[in-house]
Amino acid sequence: MKISIIGSGYVGTTIAACFAEVGHDVVNVDIDEDIVASLNDGEAPIHEPGLDELVEKHAGDRLRATTDYDAIVETDATFLALPTPSEDDGHIDLSIMEAGARSVGRTLADKDGYHLVVTKSTVVPTTTEEVIAPILEAESGLELGSDFDVGMNPEFLREGSAVSDFLDPDKVVLGSETDRAATLLRDVFDPLVEQADSPPVVETGVREAEMIKYANNAFLASKISLANDLANICKEYDIDSEEVLDAVGLDSRIGSAFLGAGVGWGGSCFPKDVAAIVAAARDAGYEAKMLEAAVEVNDRQPVRMLDILRDHADPSGARVAVLGLAFKPGTDDVRNSRAIPLIDALLDSGADVVGYDPVATANMREHFPDIDYADSAADALAGADAALVVTDWDEFAALDDEFDAMTDAVVVDGRRIVSRRDGIVYESLV
Ligand SMILES: NC(=O)c1ccc[n+]([C@@H]2O[C@H](COP(=O)([O-])OP(=O)(O)OC[C@H]3O[C@@H](n4cnc5c(N)ncnc54)[C@H](O)[C@@H]3O)[C@@H](O)[C@H]2O)c1
Ligand SMILES: O=c1ccn([C@@H]2O[C@H](COP(=O)(O)OP(=O)(O)O[C@H]3O[C@H](CO)[C@@H](O)[C@H](O)[C@H]3O)[C@@H](O)[C@H]2O)c(=O)[nH]1
Protein backbone atom coordinates (compact mmCIF):
# COMPACT_ATOMS: atom_id res chain seq x y z
CA MET A 1 0.00 0.00 0.00
CA LYS A 2 1.00 3.62 -0.41
CA ILE A 3 1.13 5.52 2.87
CA SER A 4 1.96 9.14 3.66
CA ILE A 5 3.00 10.34 7.10
CA ILE A 6 2.84 13.97 8.16
CA GLY A 7 5.60 14.76 10.66
CA SER A 8 8.95 12.97 10.89
CA GLY A 9 9.79 13.15 14.58
CA TYR A 10 10.08 10.25 17.02
CA VAL A 11 6.79 8.72 15.93
CA GLY A 12 6.63 9.73 12.25
CA THR A 13 10.13 8.53 11.39
CA THR A 14 9.80 5.29 13.34
CA ILE A 15 6.50 4.30 11.82
CA ALA A 16 7.63 5.34 8.32
CA ALA A 17 10.73 3.15 8.48
CA CYS A 18 8.76 0.26 10.03
CA PHE A 19 5.91 0.49 7.49
CA ALA A 20 8.56 0.36 4.74
CA GLU A 21 10.11 -2.65 6.48
CA VAL A 22 6.80 -4.56 6.35
CA GLY A 23 6.44 -3.80 2.65
CA HIS A 24 4.53 -0.52 2.24
CA ASP A 25 5.59 2.41 0.03
CA VAL A 26 5.99 5.32 2.40
CA VAL A 27 6.45 9.06 1.98
CA ASN A 28 7.18 11.33 4.94
CA VAL A 29 6.12 14.97 4.77
CA ASP A 30 7.83 17.40 7.14
CA ILE A 31 8.27 21.17 7.14
CA ASP A 32 11.84 20.79 8.35
CA GLU A 33 14.17 20.64 5.32
CA ASP A 34 17.07 19.21 7.34
CA ILE A 35 14.94 16.27 8.49
CA VAL A 36 13.75 15.63 4.94
CA ALA A 37 17.32 15.78 3.58
CA SER A 38 18.57 13.46 6.30
CA LEU A 39 15.88 10.85 5.59
CA ASN A 40 16.53 11.00 1.85
CA ASP A 41 20.25 10.54 2.56
CA GLY A 42 19.39 7.35 4.43
CA GLU A 43 20.06 8.77 7.88
CA ALA A 44 17.54 8.76 10.73
CA PRO A 45 16.99 12.29 12.07
CA ILE A 46 16.54 10.91 15.63
CA HIS A 47 18.49 8.39 17.72
CA GLU A 48 16.62 5.13 18.21
CA PRO A 49 18.16 1.65 18.32
CA GLY A 50 17.64 -0.10 14.97
CA LEU A 51 16.24 2.97 13.21
CA ASP A 52 19.39 3.93 11.28
CA GLU A 53 19.55 0.46 9.75
CA LEU A 54 15.92 0.58 8.60
CA VAL A 55 16.17 4.10 7.18
CA GLU A 56 19.40 3.24 5.37
CA LYS A 57 17.85 0.04 4.00
CA HIS A 58 14.67 1.62 2.61
CA ALA A 59 15.58 5.27 1.80
CA GLY A 60 15.38 6.00 -1.91
CA ASP A 61 13.32 2.88 -2.41
CA ARG A 62 10.21 2.25 -0.28
CA LEU A 63 10.89 5.27 1.94
CA ARG A 64 11.23 8.87 0.84
CA ALA A 65 10.71 12.28 2.39
CA THR A 66 9.57 15.65 1.10
CA THR A 67 8.39 19.07 2.25
CA ASP A 68 5.73 18.97 -0.48
CA TYR A 69 2.26 17.97 0.72
CA ASP A 70 1.29 17.09 -2.89
CA ALA A 71 2.98 13.73 -2.30
CA ILE A 72 -0.04 12.54 -0.29
CA VAL A 73 -2.35 12.59 -3.33
CA GLU A 74 -0.68 9.45 -4.69
CA THR A 75 -1.15 7.57 -1.40
CA ASP A 76 -4.09 5.57 0.00
CA ALA A 77 -3.88 6.80 3.58
CA THR A 78 -2.26 9.68 5.45
CA PHE A 79 -1.14 9.40 9.09
CA LEU A 80 -0.87 12.61 11.13
CA ALA A 81 2.14 12.24 13.45
CA LEU A 82 2.38 15.86 14.56
CA PRO A 83 3.15 17.22 18.04
CA THR A 84 0.29 17.81 20.49
CA PRO A 85 1.96 19.84 23.26
CA SER A 86 0.41 21.27 26.43
CA GLU A 87 -0.85 24.77 26.92
CA ASP A 88 0.21 26.43 30.19
CA ASP A 89 -3.00 25.33 31.92
CA GLY A 90 -2.55 21.71 30.84
CA HIS A 91 -5.05 21.75 27.95
CA ILE A 92 -3.91 20.11 24.73
CA ASP A 93 -2.58 22.57 22.15
CA LEU A 94 -4.03 21.48 18.81
CA SER A 95 -2.62 24.32 16.71
CA ILE A 96 0.01 22.16 14.96
CA MET A 97 -2.53 19.41 14.25
CA GLU A 98 -4.94 22.02 12.86
CA ALA A 99 -2.22 23.47 10.60
CA GLY A 100 -1.34 19.97 9.36
CA ALA A 101 -5.02 19.15 8.74
CA ARG A 102 -5.45 22.38 6.75
CA SER A 103 -2.49 21.46 4.52
CA VAL A 104 -3.75 17.90 4.06
CA GLY A 105 -7.28 19.14 3.29
CA ARG A 106 -6.10 21.67 0.71
CA THR A 107 -4.04 18.95 -0.99
CA LEU A 108 -6.85 16.39 -1.00
CA ALA A 109 -8.99 18.83 -2.99
CA ASP A 110 -6.90 17.67 -6.00
CA LYS A 111 -7.44 13.97 -5.37
CA ASP A 112 -9.88 11.80 -7.35
CA GLY A 113 -10.90 8.82 -5.34
CA TYR A 114 -11.18 7.77 -1.73
CA HIS A 115 -8.63 8.72 0.95
CA LEU A 116 -8.23 7.88 4.63
CA VAL A 117 -6.75 10.34 7.12
CA VAL A 118 -5.59 8.71 10.35
CA THR A 119 -4.70 10.51 13.57
CA LYS A 120 -1.53 8.93 14.97
CA SER A 121 -0.83 11.75 17.41
CA THR A 122 -2.20 11.60 20.94
CA VAL A 123 -5.36 13.76 20.93
CA VAL A 124 -8.18 14.16 23.47
CA PRO A 125 -11.46 12.37 22.67
CA THR A 126 -13.56 13.90 19.86
CA THR A 127 -10.58 15.78 18.33
CA THR A 128 -10.41 13.65 15.17
CA GLU A 129 -14.14 13.84 14.44
CA GLU A 130 -14.90 17.34 15.72
CA VAL A 131 -11.69 19.26 14.92
CA ILE A 132 -9.69 17.40 12.25
CA ALA A 133 -12.56 16.11 10.06
CA PRO A 134 -14.33 19.51 9.75
CA ILE A 135 -11.03 21.17 8.76
CA LEU A 136 -10.43 18.47 6.13
CA GLU A 137 -13.94 18.93 4.75
CA ALA A 138 -13.73 22.71 4.68
CA GLU A 139 -10.31 22.84 3.03
CA SER A 140 -10.88 20.04 0.50
CA GLY A 141 -14.53 20.54 -0.39
CA LEU A 142 -14.83 16.75 -0.06
CA GLU A 143 -17.49 14.95 1.94
CA LEU A 144 -16.65 12.95 5.08
CA GLY A 145 -17.95 9.40 4.90
CA SER A 146 -18.15 9.29 1.13
CA ASP A 147 -15.05 10.97 -0.42
CA PHE A 148 -12.85 10.37 2.59
CA ASP A 149 -12.87 8.99 6.12
CA VAL A 150 -10.98 9.70 9.30
CA GLY A 151 -9.48 7.08 11.60
CA MET A 152 -7.49 6.98 14.82
CA ASN A 153 -4.53 4.69 15.50
CA PRO A 154 -2.86 5.53 18.84
CA GLU A 155 0.84 4.83 19.25
CA PHE A 156 2.30 3.12 22.33
CA LEU A 157 6.02 3.07 21.45
CA ARG A 158 8.55 4.19 24.06
CA GLU A 159 11.58 6.33 23.35
CA GLY A 160 14.70 4.19 23.40
CA SER A 161 12.87 1.10 22.14
CA ALA A 162 10.65 2.72 19.50
CA VAL A 163 11.43 0.35 16.62
CA SER A 164 11.00 -2.88 18.56
CA ASP A 165 7.90 -1.54 20.33
CA PHE A 166 6.32 -0.69 16.97
CA LEU A 167 7.30 -3.88 15.17
CA ASP A 168 6.43 -6.12 18.11
CA PRO A 169 3.52 -4.37 19.87
CA ASP A 170 1.44 -5.60 22.84
CA LYS A 171 -1.63 -4.55 20.87
CA VAL A 172 -2.75 -2.64 17.80
CA VAL A 173 -5.70 -0.27 18.19
CA LEU A 174 -7.63 0.68 15.05
CA GLY A 175 -10.35 3.32 15.45
CA SER A 176 -12.79 3.94 12.62
CA GLU A 177 -16.45 4.77 11.99
CA THR A 178 -17.06 3.19 8.57
CA ASP A 179 -16.48 -0.26 7.08
CA ARG A 180 -14.32 1.24 4.36
CA ALA A 181 -12.01 2.94 6.87
CA ALA A 182 -11.87 -0.20 9.03
CA THR A 183 -10.91 -2.34 6.03
CA LEU A 184 -8.21 0.06 4.89
CA LEU A 185 -6.71 0.33 8.38
CA ARG A 186 -6.70 -3.45 8.63
CA ASP A 187 -4.91 -3.65 5.26
CA VAL A 188 -2.24 -1.24 6.51
CA PHE A 189 -1.58 -3.26 9.66
CA ASP A 190 -2.07 -6.82 8.37
CA PRO A 191 1.58 -7.33 7.29
CA LEU A 192 2.87 -5.98 10.61
CA VAL A 193 0.43 -8.03 12.67
CA GLU A 194 1.39 -11.15 10.73
CA GLN A 195 5.15 -10.78 11.21
CA ALA A 196 4.68 -9.77 14.89
CA ASP A 197 3.08 -13.12 15.75
CA SER A 198 -0.46 -11.80 15.81
CA PRO A 199 -0.76 -9.41 18.77
CA PRO A 200 -4.35 -8.53 19.73
CA VAL A 201 -5.95 -6.10 17.27
CA VAL A 202 -8.59 -3.92 18.90
CA GLU A 203 -11.05 -2.63 16.33
CA THR A 204 -13.02 0.19 17.86
CA GLY A 205 -14.50 3.64 17.29
CA VAL A 206 -12.48 6.78 16.71
CA ARG A 207 -13.10 8.46 20.06
CA GLU A 208 -12.62 5.15 21.88
CA ALA A 209 -9.20 4.82 20.22
CA GLU A 210 -8.36 8.37 21.30
CA MET A 211 -9.35 7.56 24.88
CA ILE A 212 -7.48 4.22 24.96
CA LYS A 213 -4.22 6.12 24.46
CA TYR A 214 -4.90 8.46 27.40
CA ALA A 215 -6.17 5.62 29.59
CA ASN A 216 -2.96 3.71 28.84
CA ASN A 217 -0.61 6.55 29.73
CA ALA A 218 -2.71 7.73 32.69
CA PHE A 219 -2.73 4.18 34.07
CA LEU A 220 1.05 3.74 33.74
CA ALA A 221 1.83 7.17 35.22
CA SER A 222 -0.60 6.52 38.09
CA LYS A 223 0.91 3.09 38.70
CA ILE A 224 4.32 4.72 39.20
CA SER A 225 2.80 7.40 41.46
CA LEU A 226 1.04 4.73 43.53
CA ALA A 227 4.35 2.85 43.82
CA ASN A 228 5.93 6.13 44.98
CA ASP A 229 3.16 6.76 47.52
CA LEU A 230 3.60 3.25 48.93
CA ALA A 231 7.40 3.58 48.90
CA ASN A 232 7.12 6.87 50.81
CA ILE A 233 5.02 5.08 53.45
CA CYS A 234 7.62 2.28 53.59
CA LYS A 235 10.31 4.87 54.28
CA GLU A 236 8.38 6.21 57.28
CA TYR A 237 8.42 2.71 58.79
CA ASP A 238 12.00 1.96 57.75
CA ILE A 239 10.74 -0.81 55.46
CA ASP A 240 12.58 -1.69 52.24
CA SER A 241 10.17 -0.46 49.56
CA GLU A 242 11.89 -2.48 46.84
CA GLU A 243 11.22 -5.73 48.70
CA VAL A 244 7.60 -4.72 49.17
CA LEU A 245 6.99 -3.62 45.57
CA ASP A 246 8.82 -6.63 44.13
CA ALA A 247 6.53 -8.89 46.14
CA VAL A 248 3.43 -6.91 45.18
CA GLY A 249 4.41 -7.15 41.50
CA LEU A 250 4.37 -10.94 41.71
CA ASP A 251 0.58 -10.82 41.86
CA SER A 252 -0.43 -11.50 38.27
CA ARG A 253 -3.32 -9.05 38.66
CA ILE A 254 -0.79 -6.28 39.36
CA GLY A 255 2.40 -7.17 37.44
CA SER A 256 5.93 -5.95 38.10
CA ALA A 257 6.25 -3.38 35.28
CA PHE A 258 6.17 0.31 36.14
CA LEU A 259 6.45 -0.25 39.89
CA GLY A 260 9.88 1.40 39.91
CA ALA A 261 9.66 3.90 42.79
CA GLY A 262 11.89 6.95 42.80
CA VAL A 263 11.95 10.57 41.75
CA GLY A 264 9.01 10.05 39.40
CA TRP A 265 7.94 10.20 35.78
CA GLY A 266 8.94 12.71 33.12
CA GLY A 267 9.38 12.68 29.38
CA SER A 268 7.53 14.08 26.40
CA CYS A 269 4.33 12.09 27.02
CA PHE A 270 3.20 11.23 30.56
CA PRO A 271 3.22 14.79 31.98
CA LYS A 272 1.49 16.41 28.99
CA ASP A 273 -0.96 13.58 28.41
CA VAL A 274 -2.09 13.28 32.03
CA ALA A 275 -2.47 17.08 32.17
CA ALA A 276 -4.46 17.08 28.91
CA ILE A 277 -6.93 14.40 29.93
CA VAL A 278 -7.42 15.99 33.37
CA ALA A 279 -8.13 19.35 31.68
CA ALA A 280 -10.43 17.76 29.10
CA ALA A 281 -12.31 15.88 31.80
CA ARG A 282 -12.77 19.09 33.78
CA ASP A 283 -14.15 20.83 30.67
CA ALA A 284 -16.57 17.93 30.31
CA GLY A 285 -17.69 18.40 33.95
CA TYR A 286 -15.63 15.68 35.64
CA GLU A 287 -12.91 16.14 38.25
CA ALA A 288 -10.34 13.34 37.69
CA LYS A 289 -9.26 13.03 41.35
CA MET A 290 -7.03 9.97 40.98
CA LEU A 291 -5.09 11.51 38.13
CA GLU A 292 -4.75 14.84 39.92
CA ALA A 293 -3.32 12.93 42.89
CA ALA A 294 -0.92 11.04 40.60
CA VAL A 295 0.42 14.38 39.35
CA GLU A 296 0.68 15.75 42.91
CA VAL A 297 2.66 12.73 44.12
CA ASN A 298 4.93 13.04 41.07
CA ASP A 299 5.53 16.75 41.68
CA ARG A 300 6.34 16.05 45.33
CA GLN A 301 9.09 13.46 44.76
CA PRO A 302 11.80 15.97 43.70
CA VAL A 303 10.79 18.19 46.65
CA ARG A 304 11.21 15.22 49.01
CA MET A 305 14.61 14.53 47.48
CA LEU A 306 15.79 18.06 48.28
CA ASP A 307 14.40 17.80 51.81
CA ILE A 308 16.58 14.71 52.30
CA LEU A 309 19.59 16.59 50.92
CA ARG A 310 18.91 19.43 53.38
CA ASP A 311 18.85 16.91 56.25
CA HIS A 312 22.49 16.15 55.47
CA ALA A 313 23.91 19.29 53.87
CA ASP A 314 23.08 22.94 53.32
CA PRO A 315 22.76 23.42 49.55
CA SER A 316 23.49 27.15 49.82
CA GLY A 317 26.99 27.67 48.47
CA ALA A 318 27.52 23.91 48.17
CA ARG A 319 28.71 22.24 44.99
CA VAL A 320 26.03 19.69 44.10
CA ALA A 321 26.51 17.07 41.39
CA VAL A 322 23.35 16.05 39.52
CA LEU A 323 23.94 12.60 38.05
CA GLY A 324 21.55 11.92 35.19
CA LEU A 325 19.86 14.61 33.12
CA ALA A 326 17.80 12.55 30.62
CA PHE A 327 14.19 11.77 31.59
CA LYS A 328 15.08 8.08 31.59
CA PRO A 329 18.11 5.97 30.64
CA GLY A 330 18.72 5.15 26.99
CA THR A 331 17.76 8.55 25.59
CA ASP A 332 19.21 12.04 25.24
CA ASP A 333 15.72 13.53 25.69
CA VAL A 334 15.43 15.89 28.66
CA ARG A 335 11.83 16.97 28.14
CA ASN A 336 10.17 17.12 31.57
CA SER A 337 13.13 15.32 33.09
CA ARG A 338 12.96 15.21 36.90
CA ALA A 339 16.41 16.81 36.79
CA ILE A 340 14.78 20.11 35.71
CA PRO A 341 12.76 20.87 38.88
CA LEU A 342 15.70 19.62 40.96
CA ILE A 343 18.24 21.90 39.27
CA ASP A 344 15.79 24.83 39.46
CA ALA A 345 15.35 24.31 43.20
CA LEU A 346 19.09 23.84 43.78
CA LEU A 347 19.81 27.12 41.98
CA ASP A 348 17.09 28.85 44.02
CA SER A 349 18.82 27.57 47.16
CA GLY A 350 22.12 29.10 46.06
CA ALA A 351 23.84 25.82 45.15
CA ASP A 352 26.64 25.59 42.61
CA VAL A 353 25.36 22.83 40.27
CA VAL A 354 27.41 20.48 38.10
CA GLY A 355 25.44 18.15 35.82
CA TYR A 356 26.49 14.93 34.19
CA ASP A 357 24.75 12.62 31.76
CA PRO A 358 26.27 10.12 29.31
CA VAL A 359 24.29 11.54 26.36
CA ALA A 360 21.87 14.32 27.37
CA THR A 361 24.24 17.15 28.31
CA ALA A 362 23.81 19.11 25.06
CA ASN A 363 20.04 19.11 25.43
CA MET A 364 20.13 20.12 29.10
CA ARG A 365 22.55 22.93 28.27
CA GLU A 366 19.70 24.56 26.33
CA HIS A 367 17.62 24.67 29.55
CA PHE A 368 20.45 25.56 31.91
CA PRO A 369 23.26 27.22 29.91
CA ASP A 370 24.95 28.60 33.02
CA ILE A 371 25.50 25.55 35.22
CA ASP A 372 28.68 23.45 34.95
CA TYR A 373 28.67 20.18 33.01
CA ALA A 374 31.15 17.38 33.57
CA ASP A 375 32.42 14.85 31.03
CA SER A 376 32.10 11.94 33.41
CA ALA A 377 30.41 11.02 36.67
CA ALA A 378 33.88 10.95 38.27
CA ASP A 379 34.54 14.55 37.17
CA ALA A 380 31.13 15.65 38.44
CA LEU A 381 31.75 14.06 41.84
CA ALA A 382 35.31 15.37 42.23
CA GLY A 383 35.16 18.21 44.76
CA ALA A 384 31.37 18.07 45.10
CA ASP A 385 29.78 18.45 48.53
CA ALA A 386 26.75 16.40 47.60
CA ALA A 387 25.31 14.35 44.75
CA LEU A 388 21.74 13.72 43.59
CA VAL A 389 21.21 10.62 41.44
CA VAL A 390 18.29 11.36 39.13
CA THR A 391 18.41 8.96 36.15
CA ASP A 392 18.95 5.21 36.47
CA TRP A 393 21.81 4.88 33.98
CA ASP A 394 23.59 1.53 34.53
CA GLU A 395 26.97 3.24 34.87
CA PHE A 396 25.86 4.87 38.15
CA ALA A 397 25.48 1.42 39.71
CA ALA A 398 29.19 0.82 39.07
CA LEU A 399 30.37 4.03 40.81
CA ASP A 400 32.67 3.27 43.74
CA ASP A 401 36.06 4.97 44.32
CA GLU A 402 34.69 8.01 42.47
CA PHE A 403 32.80 8.97 45.65
CA ASP A 404 36.11 9.28 47.54
CA ALA A 405 36.97 12.39 45.50
CA MET A 406 33.94 14.25 46.90
CA THR A 407 34.60 16.96 49.48
CA ASP A 408 31.70 15.77 51.62
CA ALA A 409 30.30 12.52 50.32
CA VAL A 410 26.54 13.09 50.75
CA VAL A 411 24.63 11.05 48.17
CA VAL A 412 20.85 11.18 47.76
CA ASP A 413 19.73 8.45 45.40
CA GLY A 414 16.50 9.12 43.50
CA ARG A 415 16.53 5.80 41.63
CA ARG A 416 18.00 3.33 44.13
CA ILE A 417 20.83 2.59 41.78
CA VAL A 418 24.03 3.45 43.69
CA SER A 419 25.65 0.29 45.13
CA ARG A 420 28.33 1.81 47.35
CA ARG A 421 27.32 2.63 50.94
CA ASP A 422 30.57 2.49 52.97
CA GLY A 423 32.38 5.75 53.59
CA ILE A 424 29.64 7.97 52.18
CA VAL A 425 26.53 9.51 53.71
CA TYR A 426 23.97 7.71 51.59
CA GLU A 427 20.21 8.07 51.68
CA SER A 428 17.77 6.77 49.14
CA LEU A 429 14.64 8.78 48.30
CA VAL A 430 12.48 5.66 48.65
N1 LIG B 1 7.61 10.51 21.32
C1 LIG B 1 6.98 9.41 21.71
O1 LIG B 1 7.58 8.53 22.33
C2 LIG B 1 5.51 9.23 21.41
C3 LIG B 1 4.94 7.96 21.56
C4 LIG B 1 3.56 7.80 21.28
C5 LIG B 1 2.80 8.88 20.86
N2 LIG B 1 3.39 10.10 20.72
C6 LIG B 1 2.56 11.20 20.20
O2 LIG B 1 2.87 11.36 18.80
C7 LIG B 1 2.76 12.74 18.41
C8 LIG B 1 4.06 13.17 17.74
O3 LIG B 1 5.09 13.12 18.71
P1 LIG B 1 6.63 13.10 18.32
O4 LIG B 1 7.35 12.81 19.60
O5 LIG B 1 6.87 12.25 17.15
O6 LIG B 1 6.85 14.64 17.89
P2 LIG B 1 8.19 15.31 17.38
O7 LIG B 1 8.22 16.67 17.94
O8 LIG B 1 9.36 14.39 17.62
O9 LIG B 1 8.02 15.39 15.77
C9 LIG B 1 7.05 16.15 15.13
C10 LIG B 1 7.50 16.48 13.70
O10 LIG B 1 6.44 17.22 13.06
C11 LIG B 1 7.02 18.20 12.20
N3 LIG B 1 6.02 19.23 11.88
C12 LIG B 1 5.57 20.25 12.67
N4 LIG B 1 4.60 20.93 12.03
C13 LIG B 1 4.43 20.34 10.81
C14 LIG B 1 3.55 20.56 9.71
N5 LIG B 1 2.66 21.55 9.72
N6 LIG B 1 3.66 19.76 8.65
C15 LIG B 1 4.57 18.73 8.60
N7 LIG B 1 5.41 18.47 9.62
C16 LIG B 1 5.34 19.26 10.71
C17 LIG B 1 8.23 18.68 12.97
O11 LIG B 1 9.17 19.30 12.12
C18 LIG B 1 8.75 17.37 13.62
O12 LIG B 1 9.71 16.74 12.80
C19 LIG B 1 2.38 13.49 19.68
O13 LIG B 1 0.98 13.60 19.74
C20 LIG B 1 2.86 12.58 20.80
O14 LIG B 1 2.11 12.76 22.00
C21 LIG B 1 4.72 10.30 20.96
O1 LIG C 1 8.79 1.90 36.91
C1 LIG C 1 8.99 2.98 36.36
C2 LIG C 1 8.93 3.16 34.95
C3 LIG C 1 9.14 4.42 34.41
N1 LIG C 1 9.41 5.49 35.23
C4 LIG C 1 9.58 6.83 34.64
O2 LIG C 1 8.47 7.09 33.78
C5 LIG C 1 8.85 7.97 32.72
C6 LIG C 1 8.36 7.43 31.37
O3 LIG C 1 9.07 6.25 31.02
P1 LIG C 1 8.68 5.35 29.75
O4 LIG C 1 7.25 5.03 29.82
O5 LIG C 1 9.63 4.23 29.70
O6 LIG C 1 9.04 6.33 28.57
P2 LIG C 1 8.26 7.07 27.37
O7 LIG C 1 9.14 6.96 26.19
O8 LIG C 1 7.84 8.40 27.87
O9 LIG C 1 6.95 6.17 27.03
C7 LIG C 1 5.65 6.46 27.54
O10 LIG C 1 5.01 7.48 26.79
C8 LIG C 1 4.86 7.16 25.37
C9 LIG C 1 4.25 8.39 24.69
O11 LIG C 1 2.87 8.48 24.87
C10 LIG C 1 3.98 5.94 25.24
O12 LIG C 1 3.80 5.64 23.85
C11 LIG C 1 4.63 4.76 25.98
O13 LIG C 1 3.77 3.62 25.89
C12 LIG C 1 4.83 5.17 27.44
O14 LIG C 1 5.50 4.12 28.15
C13 LIG C 1 10.38 8.10 32.82
O15 LIG C 1 10.69 9.34 33.44
C14 LIG C 1 10.81 6.95 33.72
O16 LIG C 1 11.98 7.23 34.48
C15 LIG C 1 9.49 5.33 36.61
O17 LIG C 1 9.71 6.29 37.35
N2 LIG C 1 9.27 4.09 37.14
Side-chain angles (χ1 to χ4, degrees):
M1 292 184 69
K2 291 187 180 356
I3 296 171
S4 44
I5 295 165
I6 312 298
S8 304
Y10 277 94
V11 171
T13 306
T14 304
I15 70 170
C18 292
F19 276 151
E21 176 70 5
V22 299
H24 295 309
D25 274 320
V26 187
V27 57
N28 258 123
V29 181
D30 203 291
I31 48 172
D32 187 322
E33 288 178 3
D34 292 340
I35 288 177
V36 166
S38 157
L39 274 171
N40 286 330
D41 285 346
E43 283 165 27
I46 53 154
H47 298 293
E48 275 297 329
L51 191 59
D52 275 332
E53 290 85 332
L54 290 185
V55 171
E56 193 184 344
K57 181 172 165 191
H58 298 296
D61 180 20
R62 291 210 292 266
L63 175 64
R64 69 185 182 91
T66 176
T67 54
D68 185 359
Y69 269 81
D70 284 347
I72 71 177
V73 174
E74 302 302 321
T75 64
D76 306 300
T78 301
F79 284 71
L80 300 173
L82 293 167
T84 48
S86 279
E87 290 177 349
D88 287 344
D89 64 0
H91 280 92
I92 191 168
D93 174 355
L94 287 173
S95 55
I96 303 172
M97 285 295 282
E98 288 166 359
R102 279 194 294 276
S103 301
V104 170
R106 275 195 293 276
T107 313
L108 287 181
D110 297 331
K111 174 158 180 171
D112 292 325
Y114 178 77
H115 200 85
L116 179 66
V117 180
V118 184
T119 303
K120 188 58 155 166
S121 302
T122 303
V123 295
V124 294
T126 72
T127 300
T128 302
E129 290 164 290
E130 294 181 11
V131 179
I132 306 297
I135 292 175
L136 294 170
E137 275 195 306
E139 297 289 337
S140 66
L142 301 176
E143 197 183 324
L144 178 70
S146 71
D147 301 319
F148 77 99
D149 278 311
V150 289
M152 164 69 199
N153 165 230
E155 182 49 57
F156 303 101
L157 64 79
R158 289 162 297 174
E159 286 181 27
S161 54
V163 170
S164 55
D165 285 348
F166 187 76
L167 287 176
D168 189 16
D170 283 350
K171 61 184 175 240
V172 172
V173 176
L174 305 177
S176 62
E177 296 298 325
T178 67
D179 287 344
R180 195 149 56 155
T183 303
L184 209 147
L185 268 176
R186 218 175 289 137
D187 290 346
V188 171
F189 278 92
D190 269 352
L192 186 146
V193 168
E194 215 166 283
Q195 65 85 40
D197 233 2
S198 301
V201 177
V202 180
E203 295 203 10
T204 185
V206 167
R207 66 183 62 188
E208 285 77 9
E210 291 170 331
M211 188 63 201
I212 287 167
K213 174 64 193 176
Y214 281 99
N216 222 84
N217 272 3
F219 197 101
L220 291 170
S222 303
K223 193 176 179 193
I224 301 167
S225 281
L226 182 54
N228 283 333
D229 226 11
L230 294 168
N232 293 341
I233 298 173
C234 287
K235 193 171 171 73
E236 295 301 319
Y237 286 98
D238 206 13
I239 292 169
D240 184 340
S241 62
E242 216 163 65
E243 260 184 54
V244 170
L245 290 167
D246 283 352
V248 168
L250 293 175
D251 190 318
S252 61
R253 294 168 301 175
I254 296 173
S256 58
F258 281 64
L259 282 181
V263 69
W265 36 273
S268 68
C269 293
F270 284 175
K272 86 169 169 67
D273 292 346
V274 176
I277 199 64
V278 166
R282 194 172 297 134
D283 290 349
Y286 181 73
E287 201 70 28
K289 290 283 185 202
M290 286 278 290
L291 298 183
E292 285 171 359
V295 174
E296 203 180 315
V297 170
N298 199 51
D299 288 345
R300 218 173 43 189
Q301 291 307 86
V303 178
R304 287 175 61 84
M305 205 163 158
L306 282 168
D307 286 345
I308 293 173
L309 173 66
R310 282 195 196 91
D311 288 343
H312 300 289
D314 179 3
S316 175
R319 185 159 174 88
V320 181
V322 175
L323 299 187
L325 305 172
F327 82 91
K328 67 172 185 180
T331 178
D332 64 352
D333 195 341
V334 300
R335 286 178 287 179
N336 274 303
S337 166
R338 300 291 78 201
I340 294 174
L342 280 167
I343 294 172
D344 266 330
L346 285 170
L347 294 175
D348 285 350
S349 305
D352 167 24
V353 178
V354 51
Y356 167 71
D357 191 281
V359 295
T361 301
N363 286 335
M364 195 54 103
R365 213 186 276 278
E366 287 178 23
H367 277 268
F368 295 108
D370 298 327
I371 66 169
D372 287 342
Y373 292 93
D375 289 335
S376 66
D379 284 352
L381 291 173
D385 301 298
L388 301 181
V389 184
V390 185
T391 313
D392 36 349
W393 286 106
D394 283 344
E395 65 172 75
F396 299 153
L399 290 174
D400 192 348
D401 295 348
E402 292 83 351
F403 292 114
D404 296 333
M406 293 178 75
T407 304
D408 283 313
V410 173
V411 178
V412 184
D413 189 349
R415 298 285 180 188
R416 286 192 62 145
I417 186 161
V418 171
S419 313
R420 160 109 177 239
R421 302 283 186 281
D422 295 340
I424 61 174
V425 177
Y426 173 91
E427 187 167 342
S428 173
L429 169 62
V430 288

